[in-house]
Structures are given as structure tokens and as C-alpha cells.
Amino acid sequence: MAVLEKIRVKFGLAISIIIALALLSFIVDPSTLETAFASMSSKYNVGRIGGKNISYTEFQEDVEKYTAINEIVTGSSVQNEEIQEQIRNSAWQELLDDNMFLKNARKAGITLGDEEVVALTTGEYVSPIIRQNPIFQGEDGQFSPEAVREFARTIGDDETGRMKIFWDYVQRTIQVQQYYSKYGSLFNASNYPNALVVANAVDAGNKTADLEYVFEPASFALDSTIDVPVSEIKKYYKDHKETFKRKASRSAEYVVYEVVPSQEDIIAVSDDFDAAYAEFAKTDNVKAFLIKNSDRQLSEAWYKAGELRTVSAQLDEFVFGKNAGVSPIIREDNTFMAARVIATGLMPDSVYVRHILVGDVTTKDRADSLVDVIKRGGSFSALVALHSQDQSSAADGELGNVGWLTQNYMIPGFESVMTAEVGKPFALKTRYGMHVVMVTKKTKAVEKKQVAIFEKTVLASKETFNDFYNKANTFATLAGGTLEGYRKAVDSLGVYSHKMATVLESTSSYGSVDQAKEVTRWIFDAKKGKASNIITVNNNFFFIVAVDEVRKDGYAPISEVGEAIRYRLYAGKHNEKEAARVREAIAGCSTIEAVAEALGQTVTKNADFALGMTSAYVDPVLAGAVLGAKEGVIAGPVASDAGVYVVKVNGVETGSFYTEEDAKAYELQKSQYTSQQILPAMMEAAGVEDNRARFY
């Protein structure tokens, strides 16, 4: 237990359950992962990797394992949606590693020997995952191989099996990290820029052109003489079909009725609050009052000026404004509040704590005896070594030291240390057993207050809830389960219909409404032209949804993308026609000024146009024209979607501002960008299909 508590208290949230994902950051930007996912897989599988179907049952087993790891690390079984998503991502990453990445790494000749594993855990090249973990540090605060071995030896004594789960996780993470490190090194080494590449880059990077050009803006009027036949559209579609690959999606419309308190509900809560306010001001048992009447219970926390602003700026101003008694009633949105100062005192922000974990709560007499020994001058460290079940706490190299604790970083049950006297040991009980505790130093004391906050938030009454439900039911009845009926209901009832052009299986938010996956699931189960009955979200939103388009996994049909292709081909022909028109208009012009006059434009000059690396704000067509132009000769016209360019390079100068280091850094940047495509490329080759969004 002591070792596990050490994991929670000293290491806390510093260990992320997503270590395995973090290790990949040198290879892949997480935002690029999704682009590699295909989505055609069995409806009842979470996904598919390397030809293997990943069943929901198999995936859920890994999810449960990482859930246990998260509980070990954080000491809490509470999981919000963000943590649950991280857990699922970790489980999915492990499946990707086992069924794809590790296989590819081994095929590339990468191995990991037993001696190397030992070196990474207790030997010469210890992984930071272990080296930086306080659990594996000695009394001097430095990494201790013996602490690792001791941890491994005591795993068998843990009847819960949780230490083994954690140790297996750490070992696996270290080994997978090593494979990624080796694979990344192998890949990056192959991208080493040779001397010729660097020399050419330096040469190009130091050249600037003295440029003059004339720009003829494109006409955006539709040219009816330009024809794009169907045959050309079909050919383009065939030649570029991969660009039209897509994930399954839907287009939908929805109305939503949000259940909000009525004016009657607000008045009722206001009246109840007013009636209880006088009792709040005078009661001797504030804790019992709040349990009975308030949404916010009594907190033992001590606040200093400014900290109550997270609750209410007005309450903070009252409490720390030298006011007496109870604050006036404050209403913010639909919440009523009042504050009462319970106690005022000088307190530190943090205290330095030592402890001896005696053990079971029945050992109080033993704890009291140790307190007496320390008061008579006994060595705290010696007593820790002889009697404490926690032999891991050794902050600053001294056995028994827990270290600095604050109200927000506190061992559960240790709250009283904030008001304890320095150097005076005492016994206290926590859920882990009896402790002997002593505060050895404190930060400077500042004025703090304990505050009771009476708070009531207005909730919709049953009558209000039913009223909104009846409105939603009226709409659903009028819609009659069809898109046509839905649109008639919108017009008839005068409600606002939200439109979602693209709903993916991963979509969980609709406007400001989060965690609405039940809406998405209905949309993907429904056929085109259907409308839903009431879909309740978070118990206070009533949705009625209609599907107006269904798009399957795979390639978008030419019927959907044909118009976009036609416009693209039209733009190309239009650019060519514009270039031909300009060419005819400037025929015979021998100077750039004559070109400008013929076109009715002006000459733009740039004496320092960089030839090596152009800005993102420079039209790439202009950059290409400059690079291809001969010195002193008018070049063009060249056309882009924006217009037509005619350029003249008067001269090229070579400087020395772009160095060999700059060139190497740029090549490294390109290499790193290329390496980000490794995992997506592997996933595409392995036919990875991620359908987790169907289940979560």
C-alpha cells in the first residue's frame, strides 16, 4: 500500500497513462493520424489492423487494463470524458503497436535484446520513464537501481495485483519506446543531407533578384465560350480518384428544445432562498444547514484574497473587504449565493511534512508512543526506518520526508497539517491507517478565511420539463418520421432548424451541446429522408433530427464531385485563355514599361526577391516565373487563378546571409516533417480502420 500511495502522492499526475502516445511525438503529429484511417469495416468490430479484425470485446479488455493503470497512477476511479478518451487512445495505440508498428520495426531488422532491456531498467542506459520516477529513487533523491529491484521483488507481496499491472505497463512502455527510437533514428539517418545538397541550398538561399513585373488581374466573369465536356470530367475523375476518397458522413437537420427554468421556477427558488437566508446568518451548525439547504457543502479550505473569484467575484469582494456578518444575496445567472466567514487566521500556502506510516487504525496506541519518543528527542529518521510501512518517502534525501504539501496537493486526510505547529509531532488517522506526522517548516503566513457558501441553482421543475417535452413531442408528431414532414413542422411551428452539412461517426457535439453521440448514432442508423422521434441528451435537451443525405465510405461518386471537377477544369482553360489574350496584347513590346502600358497596368518593383525560399504570401506562379526567367529578358505571360504575370529579372545578387547551418536546419526540418508521415503511411499500408466512434 505504501508503495502504491507513493505512486499517487509523489508522482501524482506526472505519470501520464498516455506515455505510449507521447513517445510517438517525434514521429507523428496526432492531428495527422486520422487522415490514414480507412473506415470500411464490419459494423460490429472496433477496427481492423493489418488484416486483423479488432472486436469490441478485445478492445474493451485493453480499455479495462488502462483504466486500472489510470486508477493506480491517480489513486482515483473518477473518470471524466477526457480521461476516458485518453484511456481508449492508449488501448488503441497498444493495438497499433502490436499488430503493425512492432512487426514493421522487426522486419526492418530492429531488435531488442535481454541485456538491452536490463540496461534500460537498472543498467547503464536507464530509461527516463524509470530514472525520473520518484518511486525508484534512493534516500539521496537520485535514481537507484536497487530501488527498481526492490520494487520488482515486492510485486509478489501485493495481493491486489495492481503493482504487477503497473510494472508490466512500465516495462512495456520502455521497450516500445526503444523500438520507436531506433526506428526513428534509422529513418532520420537515411535523410542525412550530403555536402552537395547543402552547398546548392546555400547558393540558392543567398541569391536575390532585382525584379520588375506587371500583373493583369483575372476576370471573374463567366466565359460561356469555354466548354468542359463530360468526357474530360470523367477522365479527370479517373486520373485523380484517390483525391475523392472519403469517410462515411451524413447531412442532417435538427431542432433542439433546451429545458431551462421558467420564471416561476426562478421565483420559487428565490423565495426559498430568502426564507432560509436568515437561518444561514444565525445558525450555530452551519455544516448541517448546508447539508439540508445548499447545493454547495461546507469546505475546510482556507482562502486568501482573490481565490474566491473562481466562485464569485462579488463574494470574494465581500469576504475580503473587511465586511462583517453574512453577504447580501447575490444572483449570477440562475444561481443564488450568500457567504459567511466561519474563521479567520494567518496560514501558510504550503508546509513541509514528515510522516511515519504506522499502519492499521487499531495501532493508535503505538502511534501515540512514537509521538512521545519524538517529543523526548528521538530520531525521526531512525523511527521511520524501524516502524514506517512507507519506506519510499524520502524528499530531499531524508527518509520519511513527504515534502511540501498545499491545499491543492495534499494526501487525503492530512489537511490538518496546514494549521499544525512546526516541530510538534502528532498522530492522525487516514484511510491508509495511523500516521505520526510532523511539520518541519512553513511558508510565510498570510491572512486566510474559512468561508461557508450557501448556494442554490435554479433547476427546471417537473412542470417545466414536461412543458418542453410536450413542445418537442408536438414537433415530432407533426414531422411524422420523414424529412418532408420535418420541414413542414419547422414552417408550421416557426422554430429554427440547424443544418449540419457533414456529420461523421465521431461527431459528438451539435452546436453548444456536447456528449450527444446518441444523436449521431441515430443519424447513422437512419435512411435518407427519415426523421427521428425525440432524442434526449443530458436529460435537458430534446432533439428531433432528419437525414437529408447519406454518404458511404469509399470514393465520392462523380455525380457529387463532377461540378467541382468541371469548375477546376474550367479555371485551367480560363487561365490559358487569359494568358493567350495577354500574349497577343503585348506582342512586340520590348520593355516592361511598354508591357504595362499595353495592359493598362503599372510596373511593380522588388529589388530583393529571394530566389532560395519564397514567402507563403508570394504567388507560387510568380515565384516559378522568376526562377525560370533569363536575366534581362521579358518572361511570360504566365497565368494563375489570380491573374497573369509578365516578369523581367534585371539582375541577381549573391549575399552571405543564408549559412550552411541554416541549410542543414532546413533539411532537418524537412526530414522531421517527412518522418511525421511514417505512421500514417504504415497505417494506410496496413489498411487500418478505426471505427471506435461507433461504440463510444
Side-chain angles (χ1 to χ4, degrees), residues 357-368:
L357 177 58
V358 181
D360 190 270
V361 293
T362 61
T363 57
K364 185 177 186 306
D365 290 342
R366 188 178 173 196
D368 290 339

Side-chain angles (χ1 to χ4, degrees), residues 394-641:
D396 300 318
E398 189 167 355
L399 195 62
N401 283 6
V402 176
W404 289 100
L405 296 179
T406 68
Q407 287 190 125
N408 296 324
Y409 183 75
M410 177 67 62
I411 298 174
F414 268 44
E415 289 78 10
S416 59
V417 299
M418 299 303 297
T419 55
E421 294 182 32
V422 172
K424 184 176 181 179
F426 61 98
L428 62 77
K429 180 176 71 174
T430 73
R431 62 188 181 188
Y432 310 114
M434 291 300 304
H435 304 252
V436 174
V437 178
M438 185 167 69
V439 173
T440 61
K441 48 189 172 181
K442 299 181 177 183
T443 56
K444 183 180 179 181
V446 296
E447 184 183 65
K448 293 191 176 185
K449 298 184 179 184
Q450 275 190 316
V451 183
I453 300 175
F454 177 23
E455 180 178 302
K456 289 288 287 186
T457 297
V458 183
L459 300 177
S461 64
K462 182 179 179 180
E463 292 75 19
T464 300
F465 185 92
N466 289 338
D467 182 53
F468 279 99
Y469 183 88
N470 290 335
K471 290 179 181 178
N473 189 54
T474 298
F475 185 98
T477 301
L478 287 174
T482 68
L483 175 61
E484 181 182 5
Y486 170 93
R487 288 174 174 167
K488 288 181 179 178
V490 168
D491 292 338
S492 174
L493 298 176
V495 297
Y496 181 74
S497 179
H498 304 261
K499 298 183 185 297
M500 291 274 286
T502 303
V503 180
L504 301 173
E505 284 188 299
S506 58
T507 300
S508 61
S509 298
Y510 292 81
S512 61
V513 183
D514 297 325
Q515 300 178 14
K517 285 300 291 286
E518 51 264 64
V519 175
T520 302
R521 293 189 185 100
W522 184 91
I523 289 173
F524 272 81
D525 285 339
K527 295 181 180 179
K528 179 179 178 180
K530 294 295 183 180
S532 72
N533 290 317
I534 295 173
I535 303 172
T536 305
V537 176
N538 299 332
N539 207 37
N540 64 329
F541 294 98
F542 300 128
F543 280 77
I544 298 92
V545 189
V547 177
D548 60 9
E549 191 62 60
V550 172
R551 293 178 285 270
K552 296 182 179 180
D553 280 316
Y555 300 96
I558 195 169
S559 59
E560 290 185 17
V561 298
E563 185 59 26
I565 295 173
R566 190 198 69 78
Y567 180 78
R568 184 173 297 179
L569 295 174
Y570 167 87
K573 292 184 176 185
H574 182 265
N575 292 346
E576 292 175 3
K577 188 172 182 179
E578 287 287 286
R581 179 182 64 79
V582 170
R583 185 177 295 106
E584 182 178 352
I586 67 173
C589 294
S590 58
T591 66
I592 196 72
E593 289 77 15
V595 169
E597 184 177 354
L599 297 175
Q601 303 294 340
T602 59
V603 177
T604 300
K605 298 183 179 183
N606 186 340
D608 297 303
F609 188 90
L611 296 180
M613 296 177 63
T614 56
S615 167
Y617 299 102
V618 174
D619 190 329
V621 171
L622 173 61
V626 174
L627 289 171
K630 293 182 179 180
E631 189 173 330
V633 178
I634 294 176
V638 291
S640 71
D641 291 341

Side-chain angles (χ1 to χ4, degrees), residues 60-268:
Q60 192 60 28
E61 287 176 357
D62 281 345
V63 169
E64 291 171 1
K65 180 178 71 174
Y66 277 96
T67 299
I69 292 169
N70 177 63
E71 291 178 1
I72 293 169
V73 170
T74 64
S76 171
S77 60
V78 177
Q79 300 161 9
N80 57 30
E81 179 60 31
E82 181 180 0
I83 291 175
Q84 291 175 5
E85 183 177 359
Q86 289 176 346
I87 289 171
R88 293 194 292 268
N89 286 341
S90 291
W92 180 251
Q93 185 63 51
E94 181 172 311
L95 289 167
L96 286 175
D97 290 338
D98 288 345
N99 295 287
M100 182 193 71
F101 173 75
L102 292 176
K103 290 181 178 180
N104 288 335
R106 288 166 184 144
K107 284 181 181 179
I110 296 174
T111 60
L112 194 62
D114 292 341
E115 292 183 1
E116 189 174 358
V117 173
V118 172
L120 289 167
T121 52
T122 58
E124 185 177 358
Y125 305 105
V126 177
S127 167
I129 295 171
I130 287 185
R131 182 178 294 278
Q132 296 174 9
N133 190 326
I135 299 170
F136 305 124
Q137 294 175 357
E139 293 186 4
D140 59 356
Q142 301 299 311
F143 168 71
S144 169
E146 180 56 35
V148 179
R149 289 188 282 268
E150 178 63 23
F151 184 93
R153 283 195 296 268
T154 58
I155 288 176
D157 299 331
D158 176 27
E159 296 179 358
T160 68
R162 293 164 71 85
M163 287 177 66
K164 184 178 186 305
I165 292 174
F166 178 73
W167 180 240
D168 289 347
Y169 164 72
V170 170
Q171 286 186 303
R172 172 189 161 80
T173 302
I174 290 171
Q175 293 176 34
V176 172
Q177 178 193 34
Q178 190 69 356
Y179 272 105
Y180 271 106
S181 179
K182 287 185 174 183
Y183 196 97
S185 297
L186 179 67
F187 182 85
N188 289 327
S190 68
N191 285 339
Y192 180 78
N194 61 53
L196 181 60
V197 170
V198 172
N200 288 340
V202 171
D203 180 62
N206 281 310
K207 287 184 176 179
T208 57
D210 180 1
L211 172 67
E212 295 179 304
Y213 68 91
V214 177
F215 176 63
E216 172 79 341
S219 170
F220 293 102
L222 184 64
D223 189 338
S224 60
T225 66
I226 298 176
D227 180 44
V228 181
V230 173
S231 59
E232 291 185 16
I233 295 175
K234 289 182 176 179
K235 184 178 185 305
Y236 185 94
Y237 178 81
K238 181 180 179 181
D239 293 342
H240 301 83
K241 194 171 182 178
E242 285 300 315
T243 64
F244 300 111
K245 201 170 186 178
R246 67 185 184 187
K247 301 180 70 174
S249 66
R250 306 286 190 269
S251 294
E253 302 176 28
Y254 67 91
V255 297
V256 58
Y257 292 87
E258 180 183 3
V259 180
V260 295
S262 66
Q263 189 61 34
E264 290 77 10
D265 296 333
I266 295 172
I267 292 172

